[in-house]
Amino acid sequence: MNTKKAAAVAIVAALGVTTLAACGGGDGGKDKATGTPAPKTVTLVSHDSFNASKEVLAEFTRQTGFTVKVLKSGDAGEAVNKEILTKGSPQGDVFFGVDNTLLSRALDNGIFTPYEAKGLNRIPAALQLDKEHRVTPIDSGDICVNYDKQYFAGKKLAPPQSFDDLAKPAYKDLLVVENPERSSPGLGFLLGTAAEYGDGGWQDYWKKLKANGVKTVDSWELAYNQEFSGSAGGKKAKGDRPLVVSYASSPPVEVLYSEPQPKVAPTGVSTGTCFRQTEFAGLLNGAKNPEGGKALIDFLISKKFQDDMPLQMFVNPVTTDATLPELFTKHGVVVDKPETMAPDKIAANRDQWIQQWTLLVLK
Amino acid sequence: MVLPVAFFAVFFAWPVASIVERGLRPDGHWELGRFAQTLSSPEILDVLWFTLWQALASTALTLLVALPGAYVFARFDFPGKGLLRAVVTVPFVLPTVMVGTAFLALLGRRGLLDELWGVRLDTSVWAILIAHVFFNYAVVVRTVGGLWSQLDPRQEEAARVLGASRWRAWRTVTLPALGPSVAAAALMVFLFTASSFGIVQILGGPAYSTLETEIYRQTADRLQLSTAAVLTLVQFVAVGAILAVHARTVRRRETALKLVPPERTAARPRGAGQWLLLGAVLLSIGLLILAPLGVLVERSLATSTGYGLDHYRALQSVDENGTFLVPMTDTIVNSLQYALAATAIAVVIGGLAAAALTRRAGRLVRGFDALLMLPLGVSAVTVGFGFLITLDEPPLDLRASWILVPLAQALVGVPFVVRTMLPVLRAVDERLREAAAVLGASPWRAWHEVDLPLVRRALLIAAGFAFAVSLGEFGATVFIARPDNPTLPVAVARLLGRPGELNYGQAMALSTILMVVCAVSLLLLERLRNDRTSGEF
């Protein structure tokens, strides 16, 4: 009786409010409304760190007629796992952000359709890890130990340069690392040590690191912004670890986001502790707009996008004709001999290594 | 009744069931052996044990600290009481990323405690317990204090006149009346702390894992759906049991108590003892709740060149380097829009459910009452991943739609609406409606003239609470893929994820804004509060 009436009124009211909210809420259902033939949007699914400048995305629309819609799907591992879960009925057309540490899991689960992008010849063959072209390399970056220049200058101590250095008594209680299970730089660093000391040797190295007072936290955010004494956030939080696992591109970023910008970066990179990460994009199996998706992959390796990328995501372009911004050439470092590892070797060992590492370091 | 049931079936039961099925029936046949396998692993047993004992300890500690607070808020009048009542509720609706950051600044290395006494509590279980008290203080103050303020003190006085000692009078008159609400509050705190995610993740460090963080780890990081499914079912059973007990205690509480308006029970404190108690409670609030919030404000104002509003000004500018492509102020607008939509959904669904629960009795309905509370205790990652694999076909391919965020937020808001509305609706005298009908009013008119004036206020309070909770909701929002217009808590988390002083400062400034918005909406609710609205929150 009156409950029903109340219900009816309430539903009408709710519909009213949600429609209002929809008006303000952005382009929620627009692409549906434009009809079925040849969708005008192409959806890029990525991790939370994806960024591109507005004008570059506008350029893509000018060139192809497609508008890019970006769906951020969590951190890198989570985003890949979501794509595996929704295999065959993907959330979008292109996935960007699977790196060499997770590549085999993505490929073995068959979430990508092969597509040979236009302009592949401008990418070094060493980076093209999938011969079937299910994925295309987009960027690369190095995971390295960063150091607090002020700390080491004050102590008149040379910053560590290699994995071996980190285990020396001079650097006792100085290093903070990330849990490799929860954080991709943490995993990169573990893989770097495994590449350096071999399948049988890395455990001994970590025993030494543990005896040398290495500290572990769960995320890069905590390590870099809370524990590390060299970053702006860490200074404010009064972090007391002058060594942290971060990226080779962190020093330029540190300069970029300071006000006023310092003449030299407050942090440096221990170039002998680096592990190279390459990120890939691929056309999703079951994409609703495969044509748009192919155009988007071509665009991701175009000069326009590759030039824009360093200051958006703080990674290095993969194409040979891209130019690095001044910030990178001035404050960044070139890593000559980073550690690397084949994706299938990572896939075969990752879970077991992480488990061994947990028992060794955390328990 | 139909709409709330349908809502929960589609946006809760179905996604959760699907993800559990995916885990336990990977190739078309059930693998129930996974239960024994998972539950006999020492690693998982550790997790279960830690979840249980930290939740028990958190609950005990919260009661210990907050019950005196409940008494003070119920019985004493002092300047700024309304404001303080709103302020202690702010933590309850704050996103955990912020709370974690604030507590690290307070308890972590060279935090305030470290600088004063050399005490560091980060990555210790103490940090987790204290943060849980911070979060749940309001639950006790509001549930127990709300009722306490309406208990007629004259009953206790009568017992004293009849010769009972102060202790005996309290024990035989007040305690039995309060008991069920203390139990209900304790159960809610237990429920929240047992399913704690962000706090454990940030403050506990990698060595601590609760059921909730373990489900996240198994699903999002390792894609071990079978283990996650087993743990989800364990969580389901546990939460269901807690809610069943909770429902019983709440029903016991609803047995006739003589209630009076709170204004008549509160008085200015008299005597040294009462002033001392008030002072102690204010001090504990200052240390436990104001200090962490204050640290956030302080850090939002601190720049490399002293204090200033630089970080706030930076929020208005479009970041040329493209961190977000939009000014930060837009994320505030986004958040408000999402929260409004979520509130609308929560109020409709929760209001209808509460109305249905008032009119009907019986076991089935009571079961539904408890069911509506389930989303509070069930892992957000389970629901989020469930959405991904169920809502993937038109017309319900909502995965990339903005509506998914308010829907997920509404799941958390509905229980609050139901809890607030239910007692008020139940208190409406059926005879008033009958009288209206006898006098010739149509059902609609009777509802409009009788029910609406009585529940309008409760409805507003429910809406306000759902709004505040939606505004701060982080867990579910962060799991849902969205077009790039982040909500405020998500923006805070992302800013914290980037290096550089400006990003850190902006995160603190945004946190402060979120805190103020929550505080203001809660303060407005305080103004609406009166004797008729003795909902649980």
Side-chain angles (χ1 to χ4, degrees), chain A residues 51 81-82 181-182 225 227, chain B residues 109 217 220-221 479 496:
Chain A
N51 273 309
N81 287 346
K82 282 182 183 169
E181 176 151 35
R182 304 271 323 115
N225 282 330
E227 304 285 341
Chain B
R109 168 193 4 80
R217 199 169 76 115
D221 295 338
F479 291 123
L496 285 176

Side-chain angles (χ1 to χ4, degrees), chain B residues 93-117:
Chain B
V93 294
L94 285 186
T96 46
V97 246
M98 270 173 57
V99 177
T101 316
F103 268 84
L104 270 186
L106 205 61
L107 304 174
R109 168 193 4 80
R110 283 198 249 161
L112 216 54
L113 279 189
D114 193 15
E115 294 204 325
L116 291 177
W117 300 294

Side-chain angles (χ1 to χ4, degrees), chain A residues 195-223:
Chain A
E196 170 83 12
Y197 296 104
D199 301 2
W202 66 265
Q203 290 95 335
D204 281 335
Y205 174 70
W206 276 94
K207 275 181 205 151
K208 282 187 217 155
L209 273 192
K210 195 181 179 184
N212 212 27
V214 68
K215 177 170 186 175
T216 310
V217 293
D218 251 2
S219 66
W220 175 87
E221 288 80 359
L222 286 181

Side-chain angles (χ1 to χ4, degrees), chain B residues 463-488:
Chain B
F465 225 98
F467 181 74
V469 171
S470 307
L471 205 58
E473 207 288 326
F474 178 69
T477 317
V478 82
F479 291 123
I480 296 167
R482 61 263 152 196
D484 197 25
N485 36 5
T487 66
L488 219 144

Side-chain angles (χ1 to χ4, degrees), chain B residues 10-213:
Chain B
V10 174
F11 297 115
F12 184 68
W14 184 34
V16 171
S18 304
I19 194 86
V20 168
E21 188 197 340
R22 183 78 79 98
L24 291 179
R25 209 174 66 163
D27 332 294
H29 55 269
W30 292 96
E31 293 186 359
L32 296 177
R34 299 281 187 182
F35 271 94
Q37 204 183 328
T38 305
L39 294 178
S40 62
S41 128
E43 209 186 334
I44 298 296
L45 287 179
D46 269 359
V47 168
L48 292 176
W49 169 239
F50 177 71
T51 307
L52 183 69
W53 84 254
Q54 72 78 20
L56 283 174
S58 299
T59 308
L61 203 60
T62 308
L63 286 178
L64 193 72
V65 178
L67 278 178
Y71 176 75
V72 163
F73 276 106
R75 287 292 194 241
F76 292 164
D77 251 338
F78 51 92
K81 179 169 145 180
L83 180 71
L84 204 61
R85 227 185 110 98
V87 168
V88 300
T89 315
V90 169
F92 189 64
V93 294
L94 285 186
T96 46
V97 246
M98 270 173 57
V99 177
T101 316
F103 268 84
L104 270 186
L106 205 61
L107 304 174
R109 168 193 4 80
R110 283 198 249 161
L112 216 54
L113 279 189
D114 193 15
E115 294 204 325
L116 291 177
W117 300 294
V119 180
R120 276 186 61 181
L121 295 174
D122 60 328
T123 68
S124 84
V125 74
W126 282 104
I128 298 176
L129 296 184
I130 294 172
H132 280 161
V133 176
F134 171 84
F135 255 120
N136 295 304
Y137 193 90
V139 176
V140 177
V141 167
R142 290 194 168 247
T143 334
V144 182
L147 182 70
W148 210 333
S149 67
Q150 288 175 273
L151 286 182
D152 194 340
R154 283 174 304 185
Q155 289 177 328
E156 205 179 307
E157 281 156 25
R160 304 258 339 255
V161 170
L162 292 173
S165 68
R166 182 181 283 256
W167 161 242
R168 196 182 148 89
W170 188 80
R171 206 185 45 151
T172 52
V173 178
T174 308
L175 189 63
L178 280 182
S181 81
V182 174
L187 283 165
M188 285 323 283
V189 176
F190 184 83
L191 180 68
F192 292 139
T193 53
S195 60
S196 180
F197 176 71
I199 288 295
V200 177
Q201 196 90 315
I202 294 173
L203 291 177
Y208 294 103
S209 190
T210 59
L211 199 50
E212 188 96 1
T213 57

Side-chain angles (χ1 to χ4, degrees), chain A residues 3 14 24 48 51-52 78 81-82 85 89-90 181-182 220 225-227 232 236 238-240 257 312 314, chain B residues 22 109 201 206 216-217 220-222 302 321-323 325 337 348 359 385 399 479 482 496-498 501:
Chain A
T3 321
D48 287 343
N51 273 309
E78 191 182 321
N81 287 346
K82 282 182 183 169
L85 269 182
S89 171
E181 176 151 35
R182 304 271 323 115
W220 175 87
N225 282 330
Q226 301 279 342
E227 304 285 341
K236 200 166 281 183
K238 296 176 182 147
D240 64 358
Y257 284 107
Q312 300 300 329
F314 310 110
Chain B
R22 183 78 79 98
R109 168 193 4 80
Q201 196 90 315
Y216 176 84
R217 199 169 76 115
D221 295 338
R222 305 183 61 179
N321 297 305
T323 309
L325 300 179
Q337 283 171 344
V348 171
R359 299 297 151 78
F385 275 67
R399 294 172 306 168
F479 291 123
R482 61 263 152 196
L496 285 176
R498 299 190 150 245
E501 185 190 342

